Amino acid sequence: FKEAANLPFDAGAAKGSVAAQISAGMPLGKTFSREAVTYAIEADITGFAAERFVRGYKAEAASMRVSATQNLLQVKGDMKIAGTATAVEYRKARNDPEAELRVQSTLDDAARGRLGFDVGNALGGPVAVKLSGRMRSLDKDGSRLLVEADLTQAKVLDLLPGWVKPAGKAARSSFTVVDRGPTTRLEDFVIEGSGAAVRGAIEIDAQGDIVQAEFPTFTLSDGDKATLKAERATDGTLKVTLRGDVYDGRGLFKTAVAGQKPDQKAKRPQDMDIDLKLGTITGHHGEALRAVELRMSRRAGQVKSFTLTGKLGAEGYVTGDLRGRGGNARQVIYVESNDAGALFRLTDTYARLVGGWMSVAMDPPNADNAPQDGLLNIRDFSVRGESALDRVATTNQSTDGNERGAARAYGNNYDGVSFSRMRVEFTKSPGKFAIRDGVVWGPMLGATLDGSLDYFRDEVRLRGTLVPAYGINNMFSRLPVIGMLLGGGVNEGLLGITYQVVGSTASPTLQVNPMSVVAPGFLRKIFEFRGGEERPPERTGQAPLSPSPR
């Protein structure tokens, strides 16, 4: 009966009770062969627990059923492996070095963490998993198992670069796990559903880091046409290459703007070289970035090199690089575009800005998710479709002939409210932009700006003062003493209207307080909108960012 008792776990680290019925048949004589012996065993195991059942994980079962004959051993039961409810079926034929295994379970975030499959914020929610295949031992190399996962109820955020899927949207994955000892290879890797179609193979090491990956088909949305390759160099750097004609970049843009929630369990970022070349990256609001080339290197969590080029809109461009100011000045990522409105729509930052030349200088991302200081400059742009802004701009024109002519032209040939310049200091932390000392001005209107955009809470809270007829009005705020009393601040004016922008990040609402227009500058703060919003943080103490104007 030795083979019948040869269950796939360490018996010395197991406990439980067994009730069994055994029937055996054998010839009576001085000698007989093993093949002449027959037996049938039906055993019920209760209160089962094995400290090292699968890969060192503990298993428990209230009851299991074991059936054995001289030709076949079967084990069936509902277990908890590493605390996760799992249905297990194990079959091993006599003289077969491999056993058949079938496992079904639903893995939530906690279960994946306990089993060593934690991918942080990239995957959230329950995943139904089926595992089947042949293996030599639960704890030895050489197994080959098919894994099928239903991702419909899970939320995906950059599990693959740029793949974003809400919970409830259908998607499935399957792959064959081939155990190679020091590494594990996922062959015939497939993701399908809701426009996604990914096919290829991945090889990972014992720590879960990628050794090699190749996806001849890398489609995360309908219409995509791209390939992805990754390979770890001898120095440990992961070299990632993305090529293609069309790629849906909405997920990448969302992550770039909003960031990801900090993951306390996440490992330090791996050294990486990224080489991206795509014909078209589609974005939000019908915008697209064409002829895109991006190269970036990261070492020890710090960006060491960065270049970006692309064409935007009808005749626009986007360029980016890593640059420093002076001999020992800190480096910043600098991005420039001659169509700020198209870039804002592409990244779903603000859809109502039209035209404008812009530059952004910002501290590079770091391994510790420390806040990044930044400075935004935009010139010669307009805002179109903000009804409250339109009313302030048109009803507060001065009465001289030039202003009346401008108002008539504005009303007859609507092209939004024009601005000459915008300057905003900000601090970017995971999921949040804190804005301070923002100022915008133009021929008809100026404004100040402070507040925050919280992408994790999907909440916008901005406030400030609208200054009609900015050129003349702002002159009063710059007069000594009188400017402090009547102007309200160096960027405000004799007349000002307090406002706030609140709501979701996708559709914020502009609200104004008309009562504030009659208040002198030093009393205007009384009419400011208060929402209990937190004050934007002060600068980190580093030298201010000051990219050269064009």
Side-chain angles (χ1 to χ4, degrees), residues 166-190:
K169 196 172 182 179
R172 303 182 69 86
S173 177
S174 64
F175 50 87
T176 300
V177 181
V178 181
D179 197 333
R180 294 184 169 182
T183 65
T184 300
R185 185 170 174 84
L186 310 184
E187 295 182 348
D188 302 322
F189 187 96
V190 175

Side-chain angles (χ1 to χ4, degrees), residues 403-423:
E403 292 289 352
R404 287 198 302 272
R408 285 196 299 272
Y410 172 74
N412 295 331
N413 186 22
Y414 174 69
D415 194 34
V417 182
S418 297
F419 295 95
S420 304
R421 189 74 182 266
M422 178 179 185
R423 183 184 188 279

